[in-house]
Amino acid sequence: MSLACRTESGWQITAPEPVGSTETFFERLAKRKRENGALLIGVDFSIGLPAVYAKAAGITGFREFLNSIGEGKWPTWLDVAATPQEIGIHRPFYPARPGNAKRAHLLAALGLTAWDDLLRLCERASNERPAAASLFWTMGGNQVGKAAISGWQELIIPNLDRIALWPFDGPLHELVRTNDIVIAETYPGDIYSQIGFPKRGWSKRKQGDRVRFADSFAHWFMEKPHVKPGAILPLIATGFGEDPHAEDRFDSLVGLIGMIDVVDGGRYDGAPDTPQISEIEGWMLGHRRSG
């Protein structure tokens, strides 16, 4: 995770660090605040449900649904199906392990015909980027299903009574004014182009490619003199290191930059004012669609 603390002179960014125990996560962050105000936490996993799936499942509100997971009709909803026969409306995550798993298995078991039916509007391809991964698909390097399961189980569901979820609980500017903890979904893939990274021809998994973008980061900070990068510029210059977690440090800073732009008013939060978004699907903070 990457952190920015608001001070009298602006934002002070600290070097990326491990998240640590999710049981004490909110309390540890609260102790590091330098001013009164909300903790705004951006998470790189899906918060919301595809509208087509929600309609098929009879789900009319995402927050209310979170309260029902593990009970009633949903005792195994977060259990990843190991075989096509285990997939169903009440158990939509698949597959539990590599093998002969196919997307067609998931679509058939859920009674759907098109992969886009398993994508929220904000996840679908746009002029700025390709489609994001589906919440329910749990295989491959870009899958997000397992992260969502962990995030929901560890951070969101146990704390529903003390957190606000954007955009389900209201506009961002109101939530951060009236709540101690606000959680929003972020997607670094959305923010790459905002910082000036090219659409193609690079991989965040390669240190050399991450090093290429040191100038893009530096340019962003030059245009935001109230954002103090502190000791992270040398880290940026080295491509965030060469170990397997370097790409996570890279993405955490990218996500933080996108959040700061929205909080400072440089970029609209992007969420359409429709029931589909505010009640079922949610949105990626700062995502705007031009196609």
Side-chain angles (χ1 to χ4, degrees):
M1 65 179 178
S2 291
L3 274 66
C5 293
R6 176 172 276 169
T7 68
E8 291 183 357
S9 60
W11 296 100
Q12 182 68 54
I13 296 181
T14 59
E17 62 189 84
V19 171
S21 170
T22 53
E23 292 183 0
T24 60
F25 182 61
F26 298 131
E27 288 73 21
R28 286 185 286 111
L29 288 184
K31 290 179 180 178
R32 296 172 67 170
K33 290 195 300 182
R34 301 186 185 181
E35 291 188 352
N36 292 328
L39 294 173
L40 175 59
I41 300 170
V43 295
D44 186 10
F45 56 78
S46 302
I47 304 179
L49 298 169
V52 175
Y53 167 80
K55 182 177 180 180
I59 299 169
T60 58
F62 176 66
R63 184 179 253 282
E64 293 77 10
F65 172 68
L66 288 174
N67 275 310
S68 66
I69 292 177
E71 302 174 354
K73 298 184 297 182
W74 316 101
T76 60
W77 194 81
L78 290 173
D79 295 342
V80 182
T83 67
Q85 293 74 28
E86 292 179 344
I87 309 169
I89 286 292
H90 300 103
R91 191 176 180 183
F93 288 90
Y94 175 78
R97 61 187 68 88
N100 295 318
K102 300 177 181 179
R103 290 182 174 187
H105 297 159
L106 188 56
L107 290 173
L110 297 178
L112 305 175
T113 57
W115 190 249
D116 271 5
D117 289 341
L118 288 180
L119 298 178
R120 299 173 298 152
L121 177 59
C122 62
E123 293 166 340
R124 299 186 182 193
S126 71
N127 291 336
E128 283 72 38
R129 60 158 171 80
S134 167
L135 166 67
F136 298 134
W137 187 248
T138 57
M139 185 172 68
N142 68 336
Q143 63 87 18
V144 297
K146 292 179 180 178
I149 290 172
S150 296
W152 293 13
Q153 286 180 322
E154 297 180 33
L155 276 182
I156 293 181
I157 295 176
N159 298 290
L160 274 174
D161 60 344
R162 63 170 179 154
I163 63 175
L165 294 177
W166 176 86
F168 303 99
D169 295 327
L172 186 68
H173 68 278
E174 293 183 5
L175 295 182
V176 296
R177 191 176 65 247
T178 58
N179 294 271
D180 292 329
I181 305 171
V182 180
I183 296 183
E185 177 183 350
T186 61
Y187 183 49
D190 255 350
I191 303 165
Y192 295 153
S193 62
Q194 299 173 31
I195 307 176
F197 301 170
K199 293 182 180 180
R200 301 176 184 85
W202 64 279
S203 170
K204 67 177 182 179
R205 294 177 174 84
K206 297 180 179 179
Q207 184 180 14
D209 285 349
R210 296 191 301 267
V211 169
R212 285 171 49 196
F213 300 135
D215 288 344
S216 297
F217 281 112
H219 181 72
W220 187 89
F221 285 116
M222 285 178 59
E223 291 190 331
K224 308 286 192 303
H226 66 292
V227 182
K228 314 298 182 183
I232 65 171
L233 291 180
L235 182 65
I236 292 172
T238 64
F240 296 81
E242 58 184 13
D243 61 281
H245 298 294
E247 67 177 271
D248 298 322
R249 293 191 286 270
F250 171 83
D251 264 352
S252 75
L253 181 61
V254 169
L256 179 65
I257 283 174
M259 293 175 66
I260 290 174
D261 269 340
V262 172
V263 171
D264 283 350
R267 189 173 180 86
Y268 173 55
D269 64 34
D273 185 16
T274 66
Q276 175 179 326
I277 302 305
S278 62
E279 298 173 11
I280 297 293
E281 288 202 340
W283 202 252
M284 298 166 179
L285 189 66
H287 175 62
R288 292 187 296 190
R289 302 191 67 78
S290 58

